[in-house]
Amino acid sequence: MAKRSMSLLGQWSSRVFSIDLDKRGALLNFALTEKPQQAPEKFRNIQERCYSVLVCGDDRIQSARFYFGLEDLLRNELPAECELLPVSSYLPHVKDSLIRGYFLKDASECPSLTRRVLGALGLSEQVQVCSYLRGPDGGRWSQQLWSGSENQNMDVSKTCYVVPSEEANYHPSVLNMENSDVFYCRAEACKVLQESCDIIPESRAVLELVGKTDASRHSPDFPVVVIEGLDATGKTTMTESLREALGARLLRSPPQCLSPWRAVFDREPPLIRRAFYALGNYITAEQMGKEASQAPVIVDRYWHSTASYAIATAVSGPVSSLPPEGSPLYRWPPDLLQPSLVVLLTLDPQERKRRLEARGQGQTDEEQELDHNLLFRLRVEEAYRRVRGPACVVVDAGPSADKVLQQVLLLIKEHCRL
Ligand SMILES: Nc1nc2c(ncn2[C@H]2C[C@H](O)[C@@H](COP(=O)(O)OP(=O)(O)OP(=O)(O)O)O2)c(=O)[nH]1
Ligand SMILES: Nc1ncnc2c1ncn2[C@@H]1O[C@H](COP(=O)(O)OP(=O)(O)O)[C@@H](O)[C@H]1O
């Protein structure tokens, strides 16, 4: 048996499973036991022929990329009638214990095709396949761990029984966020790109640029003001007006020098993409330190964007799925230069949509997601407000550009003695 399954087997019956029933955070949680027991009431209305495909390889880069492409792979290979639901499996309160995959409900006319596809998948070092069987009295549900063979009779290496699990007071993704979705030091973000150099050659170029920066944090002589906000809230307009009004230097994160590779990393799974954006902040921080020795500095997006989009993407469902206010996951990286002031521009969604259309530029996938996924937008906006060290000061960007500018200039005068 491969090392990966052995480690998984060892902890298998202590794991909790969360199926996202509507892909909007309605989690069906269950636990496992080795003693035959009645299944949770909610679980019983799930019909026969259910499976889970979990990604649990030892190489986090390979696993992140495999999981990132798994839904498309399953949709291409499995009968169309197979319903796919995101599933997480974790050890309660154990950091980095989360493994992700998909729960399948096979309502097709060709169950043997499903089994064949899953049997082949199960041979991969990246994957653990399980099947679920209803007991003779319908009340019991067992979960079988496939041992990684194409044997359609599910050569099973372990059977456990599905039982109710305590309702976790956190979203499973919170367990794996630290230095996987959000990076709290430069070295951890660099590690991810170092591990991905073989499959993403552009990582080397990014690491070289980061390597040239001075890791020490100079406290800037002049104020550094960051402008944050969703797309089309008026950041570009504001930052350019502030540059003129204050004779300031204008920077952005990710910095211009990373532009050639941004599209490459935007196509990667969160682990790699967020490490890229985190390193962009460190390069921008170096530029801030230099420029702020000569003049005030204005920055278009920085740590708040990186942390908020990462946290809001990692969880599903309503704002309550976010890590709670005050969680250490909202802290500022101790090795990242802190600005004097962070202004968060907020805007009525309809007005933002109007401005987006008026501007006529394309939207990033993330911004498209923000548009049609209200829950995601609400999570991003709330995460912005929860980030600490410094916290952002919220400004309504609804009034005219000049009025909003005057308000921000007043804030800068108050906060930065400018
Ligand atoms: N700048 C930045 N953007 C991030 C980060 N994480 C995710 N994103 C997403 C947020 C948006 O969907 C998109 C915005 O990227 P940019 O600000 O570079 O593009 P653009 O200037 O066109 O957007 P904007 O008009 O300023 O909202 O990237 C991050 O760490 N930094
Ligand atoms: N206060 C404002 N009132 C009305 N329109 C605005 C205001 N600020 C910016 N705009 C317009 O809204 C659009 C988006 O502004 P922009 O500065 O590009 O936002 P962002 O950089 O946040 O995406 C642009 O067409 C801009 O001219």
Side-chain angles (χ1 to χ4, degrees), residues 83-266:
E83 185 186 0
L84 296 180
L85 297 171
V87 65
S88 309
S89 166
Y90 57 96
L91 296 168
H93 311 295
V94 175
K95 275 178 73 173
D96 298 336
S97 67
L98 179 71
I99 55 178
R100 288 188 176 94
Y102 287 92
F103 186 81
L104 273 71
K105 291 160 66 173
D106 178 9
S108 73
E109 301 297 320
C110 39
S112 58
L113 169 60
T114 302
R115 287 170 126 79
R116 218 171 27 253
V117 169
L118 296 180
L121 258 181
L123 294 175
S124 153
E125 270 299 284
Q126 296 290 351
V127 169
Q128 183 59 58
V129 175
C130 302
S131 52
Y132 297 84
L133 281 182
R134 189 199 303 264
D137 60 359
R140 263 189 230 154
W141 275 79
S142 62
Q143 180 186 66
Q144 290 80 31
L145 208 59
W146 287 19
S147 66
S149 73
E150 284 203 62
N151 174 343
Q152 289 189 32
N153 302 318
M154 294 182 300
D155 177 10
V156 168
S157 54
K158 187 170 180 90
T159 291
C160 293
Y161 293 87
V162 169
V163 290
S165 82
E166 77 200 55
E167 287 298 311
N169 59 359
Y170 52 83
H171 188 283
S173 300
V174 169
L175 289 170
N176 276 39
M177 259 181 207
E178 178 116 8
N179 295 323
S180 289
D181 293 290
V182 190
F183 292 86
Y184 296 93
C185 71
R186 185 167 95 154
E188 284 296 338
C190 284
K191 258 191 228 167
V192 171
L193 263 61
Q194 281 149 5
E195 293 168 25
S196 57
C197 280
D198 295 346
I199 43 178
I200 311 171
E202 294 81 357
S203 300
R204 286 192 181 84
V206 176
L207 287 168
E208 267 168 42
L209 283 169
V210 174
K212 289 178 189 146
T213 59
D214 167 10
S216 62
R217 284 178 42 191
H218 311 292
S219 53
D221 306 327
F222 285 86
V224 174
V225 177
V226 175
I227 304 296
E228 291 279 7
L230 302 186
D231 212 4
T233 47
K235 295 184 301 299
T236 307
T237 307
M238 175 60 66
T239 50
E240 285 166 0
S241 305
L242 288 172
R243 170 172 55 183
E244 271 175 53
L246 301 173
R249 308 290 167 83
L250 178 51
L251 297 174
R252 59 179 307 124
S253 177
Q256 199 57 37
C257 62
L258 291 187
S259 301
W261 306 296
R262 185 168 182 181
V264 169
F265 287 92
D266 273 346

Side-chain angles (χ1 to χ4, degrees), residues 226-230 233 304 342-346 380-381 384-385 392-397:
V226 175
I227 304 296
E228 291 279 7
L230 302 186
T233 47
H304 276 76
V342 179
V343 173
L344 174 64
L345 299 178
T346 60
V380 172
E381 291 178 335
Y384 264 122
R385 291 184 175 85
C392 57
V393 177
V394 177
V395 169
D396 175 12

Side-chain angles (χ1 to χ4, degrees), residues 376-413:
F376 176 55
R377 181 164 58 77
L378 293 174
R379 294 199 305 271
V380 172
E381 291 178 335
E382 181 55 27
Y384 264 122
R385 291 184 175 85
R386 295 186 180 180
V387 171
R388 287 288 170 272
C392 57
V393 177
V394 177
V395 169
D396 175 12
S400 72
D402 188 57
K403 279 199 179 130
V404 182
L405 172 63
Q406 293 314 316
Q407 196 179 342
V408 172
L409 283 170
L410 204 56
L411 273 176
I412 293 172
K413 198 171 169 190

